[in-house]
Amino acid sequence: MPSYTVTVATGSQWFAGTDDYVYLTLQGTDGCSDRHLLDKPFYNDFERGAVDSYDVTVEEDLGEIQLIKIEKRRYWYQDDWYLKYITVKTPVGDYLEFPCYRWITDEKEVVLRDGRAKLPRDDKTQILKQHRRKELESRQKMYRWKEWHPGFPLSIDAHSHSELPRDIQFDNEKGIDFILNYTKAMENLYVNRFMHMFQSSWSDFADFERIFVRISNTISEYVMQHWREDFMFGYQFLNGCNPVLIRRCTEIPKKLPVTMDMVECSLERNLTLEEEVKQGNIFIVDYELLDGVDANKTDPCTVQYLAAPICLLYKNLEKKIVPIAIQLGQKPGPDNPIFLPSDATYDWLLAKIWVRSSDFHIHQTVTHLLRTHLVSEVFSIAMFRQLPAVHPLFKLLVPHMRFTIAINTKAREQLICECGLFDKANATGGGGHVQMVQKAMKDLTYSSLCFPEYIKAKGMDSKEDIPYYFYRDDGIKVWEAIKSFAEDVIHIYYESDEVVCEDVELQAFVKDIYVYGMRGVKASGFPKMIRTRETLAEYLTVIMFTTSAQHAAVNFGQYDWCSWIPNAPPTMRCPPPTEKGTVTIEQIVESLPDRGRSCWHLGAVWALSQFQDTELFLGMYPDEHFVEKPVKEAMAKFRKNLDEIVSIITERNKNKKLPYYYLSPDRIPNSVAV
């Protein structure tokens, strides 16, 4: 009788093993074997991290193995089992690999196909077509769209982390408990004694050092020492944790009535302001989005304020970007003066602090939350709903969706919900952040997620003109490496544009993103259909870059740049000044966050800047969803390209007081998971 050798690998996660009854069924082209019992309770098989082998004898030749079914039946108490993969050695000596990488819960079963990636057109037998269809039908019942707030991209239909499908939950929910993590962060930073001191102001800037933790060789201490300097202020628009807003100014807006007399002392080329604009030396950052957003009113004892500044910047003869004019409101007038570097020291400093606070709000809610977290969740849900596990694009994208839906669900549960942690320290809490996302959706376009196109559209693409824009330089390198990898995989499975057009699952995936993620808004520019391999490569690059590199660039620098509170105040407790010559150091300190809010903010930026304990970085694919040699070769090429980028960035950063490393591939997690 024919005999098969079956090898079963159990995951290494905590509680991944099982002591239940486990059955295996092999299903081939010529019939189906009887069900085989592989394991009984207390046999010590299928324990965490174990690889177990079994000889399975069948009564008749099964032909080519089409599917295998694994069943788990409860013995005593309910446990979950994480199955990594199964390999089958056939009677003729062939090896078949069946990737799983899923949890088997309750008394459930999982049916697996072998690991060779297949497009819908590749399936010829009814049994395979049926398996493909049933998998998607099952997934679409589990992964349902839901509107969290009007105007938002749709998210997962789950009220809590525990309601999510087991396969996308965190292995250890405590590890992503925001309340617990923030509290632990404040303990680790030795600021927990201040965390309840709301309404209690600091005495002066030096007083903020009482909660500032010095960590050797980090940017944060350099920020603390140099935050008042115009160079440091301008540098952050290029390489801080929100390096996406600055753009070349092609015309001074009428709402910012800056005159030559105002800025003449700041210009270094003996040119008029208009001539400097024409030569491309003037830049602008406009926080118009914040205009009209309601400030946090959740604490009746503390009035909080927002502003919508406009900041004009200048590229000096050293090609460094420095501020030359700041207006703190959108409407010019006598009560909305334009602040200048030539003004009194504290006037200019407070104006810059207001810009830094506004930048923090845009960063947190738009750059970080909307444009990485929420967008990545859209990609994740659409992938699970429309791409079966056998599809090559599922295999390509699934590492970049790891824990994204889980972290967002937990955030909606604890962090950005009504009365959540976000309300404690942020002036946009209490609903302002919701208004911001709703307003920012009009600018969430497909082209704005195409990194090179976005940089060029802002006039920031010239390395010669703007040599110190490391976010741009490193981002372009990583984008090109990801795109090259995507192209390699596409050409393995799609031999022509016609095959792309015919892939009904791909087209359903793209349509889901457009209709539900982008709410069917034509102006978003998101495609409804993809017709060429070239377009598909760009589309996949947008997804993989957004979920990995873009999130890394705007997330993991938060402690570096925001831990020194005056450099990134999460709230302001006095209104913006309406006249010059009245600002004092006492007024500035009174405007800055109180002790309690400062500590909650510090705990937040610390916790959000930490990598997961089991982080997987770009190019790391320990779960072998692909089994084909050509794809593994493409992965090896991808890793080589990434290693070269790491070397280039490491060499550039040598001896730099302000190294830029957020887009070094060895620091870019595969997915949005924190």
Side-chain angles (χ1 to χ4, degrees):
M1 291 188 292
S3 179
Y4 295 81
T5 301
V6 176
T7 302
V8 183
T10 296
S12 58
Q13 295 93 329
W14 287 105
F15 309 115
T18 183
D19 275 321
D20 291 341
Y21 292 96
V22 175
Y23 298 88
L24 169 76
T25 302
L26 300 174
Q27 190 164 357
T29 53
D30 296 335
C32 181
S33 75
D34 295 330
R35 190 170 69 160
H36 291 266
L37 177 64
L38 293 186
D39 185 45
K40 293 181 180 180
F42 310 117
Y43 269 42
N44 296 324
D45 285 353
F46 304 143
E47 294 188 330
R48 182 167 66 93
V51 178
D52 302 294
S53 292
Y54 307 88
D55 289 326
V56 174
T57 301
V58 298
E59 295 183 357
E60 57 182 326
D61 185 11
L62 301 175
E64 182 181 350
I65 300 297
Q66 301 253 297
L67 301 170
I68 62 173
K69 180 167 70 174
I70 290 285
E71 302 170 71
K72 185 170 75 72
R73 297 290 177 249
R74 185 172 67 182
Y75 168 66
W76 183 250
Y77 64 92
Q78 186 57 55
D79 62 357
D80 297 342
W81 176 35
Y82 189 82
L83 174 59
K84 290 176 65 177
Y85 61 82
I86 294 175
T87 63
V88 177
K89 182 183 178 183
T90 68
V92 297
D94 294 334
Y95 279 91
L96 299 174
E97 299 177 56
F98 295 83
C100 182
Y101 303 106
R102 287 183 244 168
W103 289 93
I104 304 178
T105 60
D106 303 322
E107 291 192 290
K108 296 287 181 64
E109 61 187 40
V110 61
V111 181
L112 303 174
R113 289 181 56 161
D114 77 80
R116 293 171 295 178
K118 300 290 184 183
L119 298 174
R121 71 199 291 264
D122 298 326
D123 285 344
K124 307 302 181 185
T125 65
Q126 195 60 37
I127 188 173
L128 294 181
K129 291 179 181 179
Q130 185 182 40
H131 174 261
R132 196 173 194 123
R133 186 181 69 252
K134 282 186 174 180
E135 181 184 5
L136 289 181
E137 288 173 352
S138 173
R139 293 240 212 96
Q140 287 165 10
K141 291 177 182 177
M142 289 191 293
Y143 296 86
R144 302 175 306 277
W145 295 103
K146 181 182 179 181
E147 182 181 71
W148 187 49
H149 283 294
F152 274 49
L154 294 194
S155 51
I156 195 73
D157 184 8
H159 294 289
S160 65
H161 179 269
S162 60
E163 290 182 12
L164 295 173
R166 182 67 181 91
D167 286 331
I168 61 170
Q169 292 182 24
F170 279 97
D171 298 331
N172 178 10
E173 188 177 350
K174 288 183 179 179
I176 47 94
D177 186 295
F178 285 107
I179 297 173
L180 185 63
N181 286 349
Y182 282 23
T183 304
K184 282 183 178 178
M186 285 186 276
E187 290 176 358
N188 293 337
L189 296 169
Y190 305 106
V191 298
N192 49 319
R193 65 190 185 280
F194 298 117
M195 61 186 286
H196 300 297
M197 298 176 68
F198 291 93
Q199 289 84 50
S200 175
S201 297
W202 303 96
S203 302
D204 52 34
F205 291 138
D207 213 11
F208 282 97
E209 291 193 52
R210 295 178 65 185
I211 63 166
F212 185 78
V213 177
R214 287 176 174 79
I215 303 172
S216 60
N217 300 319
T218 62
I219 292 168
S220 56
E221 189 164 350
Y222 192 90
V223 172
M224 181 192 72
Q225 295 166 350
H226 298 277
W227 70 281
R228 301 190 197 205
E229 299 169 16
D230 287 355
F231 155 74
M232 175 60 76
F233 179 86
Y235 179 86
Q236 292 179 74
F237 289 113
L238 299 177
N239 301 309
C241 59
N242 193 31
V244 303
L245 298 184
I246 189 169
R247 58 183 173 85
R248 199 184 294 271
C249 182
T250 56
E251 182 182 8
I252 304 294
K254 291 181 180 179
K255 63 182 181 180
L256 181 65
V258 175
T259 65
M260 179 62 182
D261 289 342
M262 291 180 182
V263 298
E264 186 174 10
C265 61
S266 296
L267 308 181
E268 300 179 354
R269 294 179 176 85
N270 295 319
L271 300 174
T272 66
L273 178 60
E274 290 72 21
E275 289 170 337
E276 294 279 16
V277 170
K278 287 180 182 177
Q279 290 205 4
N281 298 322
I282 304 296
F283 300 82
I284 192 168
V285 180
D286 189 347
Y287 297 93
E288 183 179 12
L289 185 91
L290 284 163
D291 193 32
V293 172
D294 295 329
N296 194 337
K297 295 181 176 64
T298 58
D299 181 358
C301 297
T302 301
V303 181
Q304 301 179 58
Y305 296 90
L306 293 169
I310 310 169
C311 182
L312 208 63
L313 301 115
Y314 176 64
K315 183 183 68 178
N316 64 22
L317 290 174
E318 294 180 317
K319 294 190 175 182
K320 294 179 180 178
I321 305 293
V322 292
I324 59 172
I326 294 172
Q327 182 176 283
L328 296 181
Q330 292 289 307
K331 296 178 182 178
D335 59 347
N336 187 20
I338 296 175
F339 292 92
L340 308 166
S342 55
D343 289 339
T345 300
Y346 291 135
D347 282 4
W348 181 235
L349 182 59
L350 181 56
K352 289 192 293 182
I353 289 173
W354 267 106
V355 172
R356 292 297 310 138
S357 182
S358 301
D359 195 79
F360 175 81
H361 297 311
I362 297 290
H363 166 261
Q364 287 291 347
T365 302
V366 180
T367 307
H368 184 206
L369 173 62
L370 172 60
R371 297 180 67 88
T372 63
H373 278 261
L374 299 185
V375 169
S376 296
E377 183 174 1
V378 166
F379 298 149
S380 298
I381 298 170
M383 181 198 72
F384 282 114
R385 285 174 53 83
Q386 304 299 348
L387 300 177
V390 72
H391 199 290
L393 299 189
F394 178 90
K395 294 173 180 284
L396 177 68
L397 294 177
V398 70
H400 301 285
M401 309 303 170
R402 181 174 180 255
F403 298 147
T404 297
I405 299 175
I407 194 68
N408 285 3
T409 302
K410 200 69 178 178
R412 285 188 289 270
E413 195 180 346
Q414 292 184 328
L415 184 60
I416 53 177
C417 56
E418 188 175 352
C419 302
L421 291 176
F422 192 81
D423 291 353
K424 283 189 175 291
N426 294 281
T428 52
H433 60 301
V434 174
Q435 296 172 356
M436 289 174 68
V437 170
Q438 291 167 335
K439 293 174 72 172
M441 278 295 288
K442 72 180 190 303
D443 297 319
L444 179 59
T445 62
Y446 178 73
S447 62
S448 72
L449 296 179
C450 295
F451 188 82
E453 193 172 336
Y454 186 66
I455 294 292
K456 188 173 183 179
K458 289 184 170 290
M460 301 295 293
D461 52 316
S462 173
K463 288 187 180 183
E464 184 178 351
D465 284 351
I466 315 163
Y468 304 112
Y469 199 10
F470 306 128
Y471 164 73
R472 171 202 61 205
D473 300 341
D474 299 351
I476 292 290
K477 291 184 181 71
V478 174
W479 172 276
E480 290 174 347
I482 292 174
K483 189 175 182 182
S484 176
F485 176 46
E487 289 171 340
D488 288 344
V489 174
I490 287 167
H491 281 81
I492 292 169
Y493 297 102
Y494 296 90
E495 61 263 31
S496 67
D497 293 344
E498 184 181 6
V499 178
V500 172
C501 292
E502 292 174 354
D503 185 348
V504 293
E505 291 168 348
L506 162 63
Q507 304 305 338
F509 169 64
V510 172
K511 185 177 179 181
D512 243 26
I513 290 171
Y514 171 73
V515 171
Y516 296 103
M518 298 306 118
R519 311 302 296 265
V521 176
K522 189 176 181 180
S524 71
F526 271 77
K528 301 176 188 177
M529 181 179 183
I530 290 181
R531 294 180 171 85
T532 68
R533 292 189 293 179
E534 182 181 0
T535 307
L536 178 57
E538 181 184 73
Y539 195 84
L540 295 175
T541 305
V542 164
I543 294 173
M544 292 190 285
F545 185 88
T546 300
T547 57
S548 60
Q550 186 60 28
H551 178 256
V554 303
N555 181 73
F556 293 104
Q558 290 188 75
Y559 185 80
D560 287 347
W561 295 100
C562 303
S563 57
W564 179 245
I565 306 292
N567 188 59
T571 189
M572 297 290 277
R573 297 180 297 144
C574 295
T578 56
E579 58 181 323
K580 296 186 182 185
T582 62
V583 179
T584 63
I585 180 66
E586 290 78 17
Q587 182 182 343
I588 294 178
V589 173
E590 193 64 31
S591 296
L592 290 170
D594 55 43
R595 295 169 188 246
R597 287 179 175 83
S598 296
C599 294
W600 276 102
H601 167 83
L602 199 63
V605 297
W606 170 271
L608 292 172
S609 299
Q610 306 306 305
F611 294 121
Q612 292 283 344
D613 291 339
T614 57
E615 201 72 80
L616 296 174
F617 296 95
L618 199 57
M620 295 171 58
Y621 302 115
D623 292 355
E624 296 188 53
H625 292 277
F626 284 108
V627 301
E628 296 95 325
K629 185 178 179 182
V631 186
K632 293 187 176 183
E633 290 172 348
M635 287 179 173
K637 174 188 167 186
F638 182 40
R639 281 190 289 270
K640 182 181 178 183
N641 290 340
L642 294 176
D643 288 343
E644 290 174 359
I645 296 171
V646 171
S647 298
I648 292 169
I649 293 173
T650 302
E651 184 63 29
R652 182 198 64 210
N653 283 337
K654 278 185 179 177
N655 303 317
K656 274 192 177 295
K657 293 179 180 178
L658 281 174
Y660 186 82
Y661 44 70
Y662 308 115
L663 283 171
S664 183
D666 58 344
R667 290 172 177 255
I668 299 175
N670 269 331
S671 63
V672 177
V674 65

